[in-house]
Amino acid sequence: MDSIVRLSTLKISNIKNVRNGQIIMPNTYRKQPGYKKAEVLGVYGQNGSGKTAVIDTLYYLQSIMMGNVLEEEIADYIDVNSNQAEIIADFHIFSGTANYETSYKIVIQRSEKGVEIARETLSCAVNKGDSRSNKTVFMDYQRLDRENLFTPKKRLEEVLEANIENKTDLIVARKIAEKSNCSYIFGESSREIFCRDYNNKFAYYSEVIKALFKFAVKDLFVICNTHSGVISANFLLLMAFKMEQGEVGMKGDFAVPLTEPVVLSEERRNLLDAIIEQINMVLFTIIPGMRIGIHDYGMQLTDSGESGYRVELVSIRENMPPVPIRMESEGIIKIISILNALIQAFGSPSICLAIDELDAGIFEYMLGELLDIFNTSAKGQLIFTSHNLRALEMLDKESIMFSTANPDRRYIHMKNVKQSNNLRDTYLRGITLGGQDEIIYEETDSLKIARAFRKAGRMIRHG
């Protein structure tokens, strides 16, 4: 069977305003690793307390694991008082009869060019039947270590004994990775070497690298604030999608302008048809009587001179003429933009979907219903941030983590919560009365806020 990768924990250090923080997926928190059921994790907390840092970290982690060049803006995410940031992602990889407990650690540091990867390590323990190997580092790359391609030497020797030419290839691959500023483990040149067929012990580790790369490319969806931003600006509709096609298939964001029709090639038009067909299968149950259509204005040349289709997305409701999709509310457009990704995560245990501000523009009751259905009936993983507290009434305590006022311990589970308790009430009580391991709300003074508004108002009136 194909391997199934599940995120178990994510630790971040010195990213934005998070000096140290760890989110833990529900199965890991319960110490029941598996992939048969959905895992939902919501991150809640006051503004500026590190919720978005979780989603942004997953976005950059995905890019690094895909072997992409480091984006320069990562430098802006490193804590201003630090020179380095660290990400540790723990995974369970289920492959046949084996379960690999894997950790990927990456250290990013400021440099003269902006930012670079200073170190990355992969660790692994293999569970097979009733036996479990010790969790050990099998690949440790350090940029400043010029003597070793990577350590430990035993693992390097296993790569080299498979083919003596691998050494030259690895030297070249390391230079390419450092020059292009991408991961040495997951960069295209070195990954091709690590993912070859091995007949020695390195075969286990090769499988791990293959599985993690495939997870990043095919199965991890990260929908950041920028995704919602272009929707709020009524500029673009970005539809996160995945289509099975060959070994990897297609995955990404399909961008459709909201302000005017768009000209698509035949291939892109067919892809849009397939995305809309999938979305419509669910959309009419969430927004009764509504579906999306494609209004075709006829043939037109694309910018490359090929024949294309000039089309516009429209909203179709019963007994009403179609209207451009831009006329719908921001909430409906937000649902449309994430619906294909939600469908994928609902039906596949290997999909991990992370969404920042899931509640933006979505009716509170509908948000609760969607989360409840996903939690009880889906197969994949869903990580989201939100300000709407409806989810606290619908999900178990293991499925909610709260950001704190302590930058050295940014995320906690609520303690002293019984099964019969309403987590929403417990959270609000914790804000006003405390009683948790950390302060979960940095206190504001309503009198001071009102006074500040009055003072600012007087300044405006008197110039």
Side-chain angles (χ1 to χ4, degrees), residues 110-292:
R110 300 183 197 278
S111 69
E112 293 178 0
K113 299 177 182 177
V115 67
E116 64 188 18
I117 296 174
R119 186 175 187 179
E120 50 183 336
T121 63
L122 273 173
S123 310
C124 184
V126 183
N127 296 286
K128 222 171 184 182
D130 295 327
S131 66
R132 180 187 184 277
S133 67
N134 292 327
K135 193 170 188 179
T136 56
V137 174
F138 71 87
M139 193 166 287
D140 185 352
Y141 156 76
Q142 298 183 57
R143 192 180 185 95
L144 293 179
D145 184 358
R146 311 314 299 180
E147 294 183 8
N148 299 293
L149 288 168
F150 69 84
T151 58
K153 288 187 176 181
K154 187 174 183 181
R155 301 282 88 91
L156 176 59
E157 288 168 0
E158 290 168 357
V159 174
L160 299 184
E161 75 180 26
N163 186 341
I164 194 63
E165 293 182 3
N166 281 354
K167 184 170 185 178
T168 304
D169 292 343
L170 283 174
I171 292 171
V172 173
R174 176 167 172 155
K175 289 180 178 177
I176 291 173
E178 291 176 353
K179 186 174 182 180
S180 61
N181 210 13
C182 69
S183 163
Y184 177 55
I185 296 176
F186 292 103
E188 183 178 1
S189 299
S190 42
R191 186 184 71 246
E192 187 273 326
I193 302 164
F194 298 139
C195 293
R196 291 171 183 168
D197 291 328
Y198 290 89
N199 296 318
N200 53 28
K201 285 187 177 180
F202 197 80
Y204 285 115
Y205 309 119
S206 177
E207 285 300 313
V208 167
I209 296 171
K210 284 179 192 173
L212 292 178
F213 173 70
K214 179 187 157 197
F215 171 74
V217 171
K218 184 180 178 184
D219 295 330
L220 178 58
F221 284 84
V222 184
I223 300 177
C224 297
N225 246 334
T226 50
H227 192 281
S228 300
V230 292
I231 292 172
S232 300
N234 207 30
F235 175 57
L236 275 179
L237 170 55
L238 291 174
M239 290 181 286
F241 77 93
K242 178 187 173 188
M243 292 289 162
E244 295 294 342
Q245 201 176 66
E247 287 189 13
V248 175
M250 300 176 67
K251 173 173 152 299
D253 286 328
F254 197 109
V256 179
L258 289 171
T259 54
E260 60 184 0
V262 62
V263 180
L264 302 175
S265 66
E266 184 173 4
E267 182 183 2
R268 295 283 290 172
R269 169 64 197 265
N270 291 338
L271 176 58
L272 181 60
D273 285 338
I275 294 170
I276 297 302
E277 183 181 5
Q278 281 193 353
I279 288 175
N280 278 335
M281 292 174 70
V282 178
L283 182 63
F284 80 96
T285 64
I286 297 175
I287 304 161
M290 179 182 172
R291 62 187 177 88
I292 309 172

Side-chain angles (χ1 to χ4, degrees), residues 297-321:
Y297 288 94
M299 302 295 289
Q300 183 175 318
L301 290 179
T302 65
D303 291 342
S304 61
E306 300 174 358
S307 294
Y309 299 85
R310 189 168 182 262
V311 299
E312 184 174 21
L313 289 186
V314 294
S315 166
I316 303 171
R317 296 175 186 262
E318 293 177 0
N319 303 318
M320 291 180 65

Side-chain angles (χ1 to χ4, degrees), residues 268-435:
R268 295 283 290 172
R269 169 64 197 265
N270 291 338
L271 176 58
L272 181 60
D273 285 338
I275 294 170
I276 297 302
E277 183 181 5
Q278 281 193 353
I279 288 175
N280 278 335
M281 292 174 70
V282 178
L283 182 63
F284 80 96
T285 64
I286 297 175
I287 304 161
M290 179 182 172
R291 62 187 177 88
I292 309 172
I294 301 176
H295 184 77
D296 197 331
Y297 288 94
M299 302 295 289
Q300 183 175 318
L301 290 179
T302 65
D303 291 342
S304 61
E306 300 174 358
S307 294
Y309 299 85
R310 189 168 182 262
V311 299
E312 184 174 21
L313 289 186
V314 294
S315 166
I316 303 171
R317 296 175 186 262
E318 293 177 0
N319 303 318
M320 291 180 65
V323 297
I325 200 72
R326 65 176 176 272
M327 303 306 296
E328 294 289 353
S329 70
E330 182 184 331
I332 286 178
I333 296 175
K334 171 73 177 283
I335 290 170
I336 291 168
S337 75
I338 65 173
L339 198 48
N340 187 274
L342 274 171
I343 292 167
Q344 298 298 328
F346 190 91
S348 173
S350 60
I351 299 291
C352 179
L353 171 59
I355 306 177
D356 198 15
E357 297 189 3
L358 174 61
D359 60 322
I362 298 179
F363 180 50
E364 179 180 49
Y365 187 79
M366 183 189 296
L367 175 69
E369 293 301 294
L370 285 173
L371 290 172
D372 184 47
I373 292 166
F374 196 97
N375 193 41
T376 54
S377 304
K379 296 179 180 179
Q381 293 182 302
L382 172 63
I383 302 168
F384 69 94
T385 72
S386 175
H387 295 101
N388 190 307
L389 302 184
R390 172 69 172 160
L392 275 59
E393 300 173 330
M394 308 301 292
L395 299 174
D396 299 330
K397 62 180 181 179
E398 297 90 350
S399 294
I400 301 289
M401 293 195 74
F402 297 93
S403 56
T404 75
N406 181 2
D408 288 306
R409 193 186 178 202
R410 269 298 181 202
Y411 313 107
I412 62 170
H413 284 94
M414 197 70 67
K415 70 175 187 177
N416 302 323
V417 181
K418 296 178 181 177
Q419 205 63 38
S420 58
N421 288 157
N422 183 321
L423 189 56
R424 178 179 184 147
D425 292 343
T426 306
Y427 178 50
L428 294 174
R429 190 162 57 248
I431 288 175
T432 55
L433 301 177

